[in-house]
C-alpha cells in the first residue's frame, strides 16, 4: 500500500470516530428533541407532560424563583407552573412567595385572567404568603377539554390548592373577585383539604350555573352551605352587583366567623378594590383588612 493510500485510510477512520461521538452527544432529533435546550418551546413541551406518579419530577421542590414579567410590573420573583387538572386540562399558572401560608387567587371573568391578580399576588408574596394565580380552563393560556370537562371550574380550584399544598402550604385561603368571588363561595361548600377560609370580593354572576354536584350550582345558592370563615366586600354603586345582594349572601352564610365590608362608590369592582392608584403606591384600606383576615385564617 502506498503512503498516499495509508493516509486516506487513516483520515477515513478519524471521520468515522468523530461521527460516532456526535451521534451520542444529545443533539436534538427524533426521540430527544429539545434535550439540553433552553428554548421557550422546549420548556413548554416539558412542562406540558404530566409527571409520572411517584417520580422524582413529581416530588421535586419548586425551582428557584426569577423575576416574572409576563403580566407587566412589578418584576417580582415568581415561577410559571402548569397545573394538571381533572378532565385533562392543563392550566397556565404562576406561583409566587414561600412558606406555609397559602392563597389561591381565582380570576374574574374576562381576558385579563391570572394577570389581573398579578400585582396583588406580588404584594402578598412580599408579606410572607405562598400565592398561586391561574387561567381557568378554556381561557387565557390554559387548554380546553372537550365536552362537559370544559366547564369544570371547581376542578381548576382544587388543582390550584393541591399545587400549593404540595409545594409547602399547610393552610390555604380561597380568594376570588367578581365571578371568581362566586366561585370561591361555591368551592368553599366542599372545601379541598387544607382550605381554611374564603374571601369573596364583589361576587357577581350569582345566578349563573358555575358548578355541578357535589357543589351548589350557583353563587347565590352557596352561602347556606358555607361553614368556613368568610370575608365579603362590595362597593356602593358597583355596576355589576348591589350592596343588597351582597348583604343577602352575608346573612345566608352559615359560617362560624364572617365579615362584611362595605366600601364607598369610588372603590371599584373586584380586584380593583385592592389596587393602588399608582404602581408601588399605597393600597386602599381593604388591602389591610384582607391581610389581617389572611393572617388569622392561616395561623
Amino acid at each position: 500500500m502506498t503512503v498516499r493510500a495509508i493516509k486516506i485510510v487513516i483520515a477515513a477512520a478519524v471521520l468515522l470516530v468523530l461521527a460516532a461521538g456526535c451521534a451520542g452527544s444529545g443533539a436534538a432529533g427524533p426521540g430527544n428533541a429539545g434535550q439540553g435546550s433552553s428554548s421557550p418551546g422546549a420548556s413548554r413541551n416539558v412542562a406540558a407532560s404530566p409527571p409520572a406518579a411517584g417520580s422524582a419530577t413529581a416530588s421535586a421542590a419548586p425551582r428557584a424563583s426569577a423575576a416574572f414579567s409576563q403580566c407587566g410590573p412589578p418584576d417580582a420573583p415568581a415561577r410559571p407552573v402548569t397545573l394538571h387538572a381533572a378532565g385533562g386540562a392543563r392550566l397556565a399558572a404562576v406561583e409566587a412567595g414561600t412558606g406555609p401560608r397559602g392563597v389561591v387567587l381565582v380570576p374574574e371573568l374576562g381576558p385579563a385572567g391570572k394577570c389581573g391578580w398579578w400585582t396583588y399576588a406580588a404584594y402578598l408574596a412580599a408579606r410572607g404568603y405562598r400565592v398561586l394565580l391561574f387561567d381557568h380552563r378554556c381561557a387565557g393560556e390554559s387548554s380546553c377539554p372537550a365536552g362537559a370537562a370544559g366547564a369544570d371550574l371547581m376542578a381548576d380550584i382544587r388543582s390550584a390548592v393541591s399545587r400549593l399544598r404540595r409545594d409547602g402550604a399547610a393552610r390555604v385561603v380561597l380568594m376570588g373577585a367578581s365571578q371568581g368571588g362566586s366561585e370561591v363561595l361555591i368551592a368553599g361548600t366542599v372545601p379541598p383539604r387544607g382550605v381554611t377560609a374564603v374571601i369573596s370580593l364583589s361576587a357577581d354572576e350569582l345566578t349563573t350555573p358555575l358548578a355541578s354536584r357535589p357543589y351548589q350550582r350557583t353563587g347565590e345558592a352557596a352561602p347556606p352551605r358555607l361553614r368556613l370563615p368568610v370575608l365579603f366586600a362590595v362597593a356602593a354603586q358597583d355596576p355589576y352587583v348591589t350592596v343588597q345582594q351582597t348583604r343577602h349572601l352575608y346573612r345566608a352564610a352559615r359560617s362560624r366567623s364572617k365579615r362584611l365590608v362595605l366600601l364607598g362608590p369610588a372603590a371599584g369592582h373586584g380586584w380593583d378594590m385592592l389596587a393602588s392608584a399608582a404602581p408601588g403606591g399605597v393600597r386602599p384600606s381593604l388591602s389591610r383588612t384582607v391581610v389581617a383576615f389572611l393572617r388569622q385564617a392561616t395561623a
Side-chain angles (χ1 to χ4, degrees):
M1 182 180 292
T2 66
V3 172
R4 177 179 175 81
I6 292 172
K7 288 182 178 179
I8 291 174
V9 170
I10 292 173
V14 170
L15 289 175
L16 287 173
V17 171
L18 291 174
C22 290
S25 66
N32 69 338
Q35 291 183 11
S37 170
S38 60
S39 68
S43 298
R44 283 196 297 270
N45 290 339
V46 171
S49 301
S55 69
T57 302
S59 60
R63 61 185 174 84
S65 299
F68 178 74
S69 59
Q70 177 186 342
C71 294
D75 286 344
R79 25 190 196 281
V81 297
T82 300
L83 308 181
H84 300 278
R90 296 189 303 276
L91 310 181
V94 178
E95 186 176 339
T98 59
R101 299 170 179 257
V103 184
V104 169
L105 297 173
V106 181
E108 297 187 7
L109 181 66
K114 63 182 182 295
C115 286
W117 271 124
W118 167 239
T119 61
Y120 202 67
Y123 174 87
L124 291 178
R127 283 154 180 78
Y129 294 91
R130 185 185 296 273
V131 188
L132 193 139
L133 48 157
F134 63 93
D135 286 334
H136 264 308
R137 61 188 61 204
C138 303
E141 298 179 305
S142 295
S143 69
C144 189
D152 193 356
L153 305 180
M154 297 298 110
D156 297 350
I157 295 174
R158 293 195 304 270
S159 180
V161 172
S162 294
R163 176 70 191 218
L164 280 187
R165 284 178 52 78
R166 193 194 86 181
D167 290 348
R171 298 174 182 82
V172 178
V173 175
L174 303 179
M175 182 171 173
S178 196
Q179 178 178 298
S182 285
E183 290 178 38
V184 297
L185 294 176
I186 296 170
T189 63
V190 188
R193 185 177 180 184
V195 171
T196 59
V198 170
I199 299 175
S200 176
L201 308 179
S202 309
D204 65 6
E205 303 294 335
L206 293 172
T207 60
T208 300
L210 299 173
S212 57
R213 292 183 177 179
Y215 300 94
Q216 300 301 299
R217 284 172 54 81
T218 67
E220 185 178 61
R225 299 293 183 92
L226 187 64
R227 299 293 189 273
L228 294 176
V230 57
L231 171 66
F232 295 93
V234 68
Q237 298 181 20
D238 185 307
Y240 305 106
V241 61
T242 67
V243 169
Q244 182 179 1
Q245 286 174 306
T246 307
R247 283 188 186 276
H248 175 75
L249 298 176
Y250 169 76
R251 290 168 179 161
R254 298 293 184 86
S255 306
R256 59 184 180 271
S257 175
K258 58 183 180 179
R259 182 173 180 183
L260 172 61
V261 179
L262 302 178
L263 303 172
H269 175 78
W271 49 41
D272 291 338
M273 296 192 296
L274 297 169
S276 58
V282 177
R283 291 184 178 272
S285 62
L286 178 63
S287 181
R288 295 190 294 276
T289 302
V290 165
V291 170
F293 183 86
L294 289 173
R295 187 179 302 116
Q296 182 175 6
T298 57

